[in-house]
Amino acid sequence: MLRLQHLAVMYHGTIAAVQGVSLEVPERGVVALLGANGAGKSTILRAITGLLPLHGGRIVQGSITFEDQHIENRDATQIVRLGIAQVLEGRRLFAELTVDENLRAGAFAVRDAAAIRRSYDRVLDLFPVLRERRQSAAGYLSGGEQQMLAIGRGLMANPKLLLLDEPSLGLAPIMIQQISAIIAEISASGTAVLLVEQNAQMALSLASYGYVLETGKVALAKPAAELLRDETVRTFYLGLHEGTDRANYGMLRERRPERTWSL
């Protein structure tokens, strides 16, 4: 469904944030994108959704195709209408608007009233608590409820591909479990998901395939189950085998694959 080939991104003409990244997302799948702060994860999402110019960034090399259409030069509204929606890190809700108003704002690019109603009903079925809080201001919701609303607002665009940027950020463990179950349900219902997460355990438990970024480059690309067993990933992303020498972290760069996942 989505393919990035040798993507390179620069900010303000001088800062190389992403260098030669290639990755793929299949239909109906969940793909995890892992990496430390500053690795380039959010930059990749901005490149996909056409938001780079708002941050002083631009694509300087490579291509992005969605359902065989090149989208690297499309604006954000066109990309939403093609079927890609992003849930930004930090939720970015309209705090003074109600839950209902925030959800309807997510459907700004949808012209079909019946489709908006179906999406609205789907969101409230996924998040029953939002049905109860429809007339509450978003700013008064709990952190978990705000994350549900942010995901629901993304789903209002009826996307074929949903990009999630750190959905577990700042949430209690029990709420992370609930959000994980919802992401699995979204995927099972036919919406593909590209999941950016620092919570590697959560992301790899949901995903079928994963990519690990290091300083703007793909350091590892494997099926998620293999990444969960990978000693380097277990040490530096899952917090296991704490006695391992941190010098081994350089192994990620050395073991970078020559090819990305082939569908």
Side-chain angles (χ1 to χ4, degrees), residues 6 22 209 211 218 220-222 256-262:
H6 311 298
S22 296
Y209 203 86
Y211 296 84
V218 175
L220 287 174
K222 292 183 178 182
R256 188 184 316 134
E258 295 181 0
R259 310 189 283 180
T260 56
W261 177 27
S262 179

Side-chain angles (χ1 to χ4, degrees), residues 3 8 12 19 22 95 112 126 131 147 156 171-173 197 202 209-210:
R3 178 177 286 112
H12 308 294
Q19 306 171 60
S22 296
D112 185 339
L126 277 172
R131 189 186 301 275
Q147 187 61 68
M156 286 296 296
L171 300 183
E197 261 295 341
M202 169 195 172
Y209 203 86

Side-chain angles (χ1 to χ4, degrees), residues 94-229:
F94 300 108
E96 296 182 0
L97 298 184
T98 65
V99 167
D100 178 82
E101 290 166 336
N102 268 276
L103 290 177
R104 295 185 184 282
F108 78 97
V110 182
R111 306 291 175 82
D112 185 339
I116 293 173
R117 170 53 61 183
R118 287 193 298 271
S119 296
Y120 190 86
D121 290 342
R122 177 193 182 193
V123 168
L124 296 186
D125 287 343
L126 277 172
F127 306 106
V129 67
L130 297 184
R131 189 186 301 275
E132 301 169 8
R133 305 293 302 275
R134 278 184 297 178
Q135 300 309 315
S136 298
Y140 289 103
L141 301 181
S142 69
E145 289 168 346
Q146 288 184 356
Q147 187 61 68
M148 292 178 183
L149 179 54
I151 295 173
R153 187 176 61 181
L155 291 173
M156 286 296 296
N158 192 28
K160 301 173 185 176
L161 172 63
L162 184 66
L163 311 182
L164 296 176
D165 196 353
E166 304 285 1
S168 74
L169 185 66
L171 300 183
I174 190 169
M175 185 55 63
I176 291 173
Q177 292 178 10
Q178 292 182 34
I179 295 297
S180 295
I182 288 163
I183 293 171
E185 187 170 347
I186 289 169
S187 172
S189 69
T191 302
V193 177
L194 178 57
L195 176 59
V196 165
E197 261 295 341
Q198 288 200 52
N199 186 333
Q201 181 71 53
M202 169 195 172
L204 295 176
S205 296
L206 287 167
S208 57
Y209 203 86
Y211 296 84
V212 179
L213 292 185
E214 183 190 349
T215 60
K217 299 179 181 179
V218 175
L220 287 174
K222 292 183 178 182
E226 293 185 25
L227 286 176
L228 277 170
R229 296 191 298 269

